[in-house]
Amino acid sequence: MGFVRNHIWQILIILNYAIALSAVVTILLKKVNPTKALSYIIGLLAFPFLGLIVYYLFGQEHRKTKIFSRKNVLNQSVVKKIQETLELETKAISEVDDLLDQKSKLIPLLYNSEKSKLTINNDVKLIKNGDDKFKLLFKDLKEAKHHIHLEYFVIKDDIIGTELLNILCEKAKEGLKIRIVIDDVGSSISSKMKRQLKDSGIEMNPFMPVMFTKFTGQMNYRDHRKITVIDGKIGYLGGINVSDDYVNHNNKRYWRDTHLRIVGEAVKPMQILFFTTWDFVSNSELEISKDYFPEHNCKENVPLQIAASGPDTDWSNIMEAIFVAITNAEDHVYVTTPYFIPNSEIVTALQVIARSNKDVKIIIPKKSDSWIAEYATNSYLELLLEAGVEVYRYTKGFIHAKTMVVDGVFSTVGTTNMDYRSFNINFEVNALIYSKDISHQLTEFFKADLKDCHQLDLQTWRNRSKRTKLIEAVARLMAPLL
């Protein structure tokens, strides 16, 4: 015992590196992205104990483990059940060439999936900022007749959150079926409010609860989606969560965001997506009826797809759609993202298009809500500037919109950031829209935001201090972990 006491530090170090080396072997055998693998390996070997903690919490690869294999099986079962019950109609892009601009043929099929066929009869409204979103959303919620489904990364019972939850309680008392999925890490709802929801008859389930007894990397795989489905007829998705942070009249810092209100066929795949998540998080038997998939009388024809991705999918669907859209651009690519920590594929795609004399512009926040993410983002900018990409930093407040417009024909709005976490780790959802009108509106949003931006100059950017560049380099090394 005396030997152990006298050499406890050496014993712990030896034990740390024994475990760390075992983890290194596991990482190498998994054949993950080399940059990501190197980041974890350096962390494990260079930072005793801390490296193990970080890897334990964030480095566990769940894509092929039972929990997500089970979710994938459930997803397939739910989708099959819905299709058999309702015989949902799906269309291929080739069947609606007359509704699509010729340029969209350069993108033969951004997302070829049985779960995300092209929908045609849709009315799409772009929403700028939380104030407008909640005004529209509250009106739609109050007019709901049958059911309301919410799936959100962040729901807080602050001022705006309490207002929303109180509306849901009133609708539940009227006899509507209310289901809510909240991410257990992103959301914060008091015990008092949870009791009020339950007493009103609302069903709410957390997505992958994080408890100390199960602290095995589940923090790393979050439901980052923001979905609302009302009566199976109206759908909302985009970047705006339920929190005072997103409402400028309740917020000290100006928050710039973009969301969608969708009426039409595309609400059906949004409903399916919600049901696949609900089946995963709830213990109740899922009962699906035609009441959840009513017929639409939408007279508008905005073609769009609802694309979802997450650790339960075989491919990084949304990232691949963005990559294909960029590489097929003929004139311009306009990107807005709050977090720009991309993989090598997206960096290369942007560089190649910019060097091909295409107009490539990116808007990012000047001041991020995460210092390490800000430094990591900055480490990529010189490479883009050298290729001719125009980089603008938003100075009015924090820009949280996740949008892209290509050639004035294709656009996407959703929950996906241009970073490793959104592309590979979190559960995300985007609308892929083939519309000149929507693209034009988003372009006008983009141009308006440019007026509140400072454009980076390559030479000036190169002259930042060596200390700053070193911090950026370290942050970039950690980028795959962010």
Side-chain angles (χ1 to χ4, degrees), residues 414-473:
T415 68
T416 308
N417 300 308
M418 286 275 191
D419 64 9
Y420 283 88
R421 179 164 293 278
S422 280
F423 287 160
N424 298 302
I425 298 174
N426 287 340
F427 292 83
E428 307 282 1
V429 60
N430 272 43
L432 311 178
I433 310 168
Y434 306 81
S435 165
K436 286 183 179 180
D437 181 55
I438 297 299
S439 293
H440 174 73
Q441 291 181 56
L442 279 172
T443 299
E444 291 302 305
F445 281 12
F446 190 87
K447 290 179 179 178
D449 290 332
L450 287 179
K451 296 176 182 178
D452 294 311
C453 290
H454 168 72
Q455 183 177 359
L456 290 185
D457 172 72
L458 175 57
Q459 192 55 49
T460 303
W461 189 249
R462 281 175 172 166
N463 291 335
R464 65 200 189 282
S465 69
K466 289 185 178 180
R467 177 180 177 275
T468 298
K469 292 179 180 180
L470 179 60
I471 296 174
E472 291 172 0

Side-chain angles (χ1 to χ4, degrees), residues 13 16 34 63 75 99 154 167 201 237 268 296 313 354 415 420 431-432 452 468-469:
I13 288 291
N16 169 84
R63 184 175 292 275
N75 290 355
L99 294 175
V154 175
I167 291 172
L237 70 81
K268 291 180 180 179
H296 294 281
T313 59
T415 68
Y420 283 88
L432 311 178
D452 294 311
T468 298
K469 292 179 180 180

